[in-house]
Amino acid sequence: MIQQYEEKLSCLIDQMVETASDDELFAGGYLRGHISLSAAECELNGIASIDVMKEAVDTSIAQAQSELTPADQLIVKAMWQQLQARTSV
């Protein structure tokens, strides 16, 4: 399930490329790294829960806040929320 969720998120990011602003392109690329890392960690630890993976992405983003300006933090968080909303069932 984790791998399918990661693929779904990646597809959504890829679909945005044609119409995305520079900020959205940045956020998509930035998030892709956090999503991939979190998915890999979940799979390595035998975790199949998408909710746990979402929490891992949230934690990863929070731990890396110092990498981003406050404005970029808002853009990344907004895109993460948007991606989650678009993958909800």
Side-chain angles (χ1 to χ4, degrees), residues 7-8 10 12 21 29 40 49 51-52 54 75 80 82-84 86-87 89:
E7 288 173 7
K8 194 180 290 188
S10 291
L12 288 172
S21 68
S49 169
D51 288 335
V52 172
K54 288 179 184 179
I75 293 165
W80 175 229
Q82 178 187 3
L83 288 170
Q84 290 179 81
R86 292 182 66 191
T87 58
V89 179

Side-chain angles (χ1 to χ4, degrees), residues 54-70:
K54 288 179 184 179
E55 290 175 20
V57 174
D58 287 334
T59 300
S60 181
I61 293 168
Q63 290 175 342
Q65 279 191 92
S66 64
E67 297 175 350
L68 303 174
T69 65

Side-chain angles (χ1 to χ4, degrees), residues 1-62:
M1 285 185 66
I2 295 288
Q3 183 178 5
Q4 291 170 333
Y5 186 66
E6 177 187 10
E7 288 173 7
K8 194 180 290 188
L9 292 169
S10 291
C11 284
L12 288 172
I13 292 169
D14 290 344
Q15 291 170 1
M16 290 185 214
V17 169
E18 290 184 29
T19 59
S21 68
D22 288 344
D23 287 340
E24 291 168 331
L25 289 172
F26 163 75
Y30 186 82
L31 280 170
R32 188 183 300 268
H34 288 280
I35 291 166
S36 295
L37 177 64
S38 297
E41 287 177 355
C42 285
E43 288 180 0
L44 182 66
N45 292 312
I47 297 168
S49 169
I50 290 173
D51 288 335
V52 172
M53 183 190 156
K54 288 179 184 179
E55 290 175 20
V57 174
D58 287 334
T59 300
S60 181
I61 293 168

